[in-house]
C-alpha cells in the first residue's frame, strides 16, 4: 500500500494513516507532505512502514502489536543538547532500518 501526504501542506493540517483495524499484516510506504503534523498507526500484526519525508517532534509513527519494522528513507539528525529529538514520536517498532543519512552532533 502506498500513501502520499502531499495534500497536507499547511502547518495546521495533519496527514493521517490508520491501519489499526486491519486484520492482516500491512506494508505501507508513506511519503509525507510539507505539513509538520503526521500520524501513522499500523495494525496489531507484523507490519512494515517505509517512511519518506522530514521527521519532526510532531510526526507520530506507531507500530502497534506484532514485530513491526520502521524503515526510514529520510535524513535523521541527532543533537545531544536538544531536549526533544527527531525520533521522539516513534513508538512500538521493534526493528529500525535507516536508508537515509544519520548525522550525530556532539558539543563537547
Amino acid at each position: 500500500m502506498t500513501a502520499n501526504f502531499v495534500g497536507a501542506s499547511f502547518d495546521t493540517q495533519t496527514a493521517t494513516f490508520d491501519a489499526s483495524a486491519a486484520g492482516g499484516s500491512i506494508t505501507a510506504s508513506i511519503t509525507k507532505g510539507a505539513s509538520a503534523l503526521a500520524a501513522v498507526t499500523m495494525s496489531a500484526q507484523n507490519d512494515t512502514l517505509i517512511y519518506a519525508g522530514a521527521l519532526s517532534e510532531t510526526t507520530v509513527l506507531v507500530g502497534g502489536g506484532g514485530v513491526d519494522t520502521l524503515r526510514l528513507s529520510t535524513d535523521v539528525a541527532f543533537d545531544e543538547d536538544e531536549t526533544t529529538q527527531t525520533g521522539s514520536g516513534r513508538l512500538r517498532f521493534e526493528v529500525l532500518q535507516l536508508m537515509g543519512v544519520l548525522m550525530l552532533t556532539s558539543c563537547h
Side-chain angles (χ1 to χ4, degrees):
M1 170 180 302
T2 300
N4 193 327
F5 289 162
V6 174
S9 58
F10 300 108
D11 285 339
T12 58
Q13 295 176 317
T14 301
T16 304
F17 176 85
D18 187 351
S20 61
S25 294
I26 300 292
T27 298
S29 180
I30 306 287
T31 301
K32 192 176 87 53
S35 173
L37 305 173
V40 176
T41 304
M42 302 304 285
S43 79
Q45 308 301 318
N46 298 336
D47 300 319
T48 299
L49 173 59
I50 303 161
Y51 188 83
L55 290 173
S56 71
E57 295 82 15
T58 57
T59 304
V60 178
L61 309 176
V62 180
V67 177
D68 300 307
T69 300
L70 175 58
R71 192 176 300 159
L72 294 176
S73 179
T74 187
D75 293 348
V76 176
F78 174 83
D79 185 341
E80 68 180 23
D81 293 330
E82 293 293 325
T83 57
T84 303
Q85 296 298 334
T86 301
S88 62
R90 273 40 76 206
L91 309 167
R92 296 173 32 194
F93 285 96
E94 291 72 32
V95 178
L96 174 63
Q97 298 175 344
L98 301 176
M99 299 165 54
V101 175
L102 177 64
M103 295 175 52
L104 302 177
T105 303
S106 177
C107 296
H108 290 285

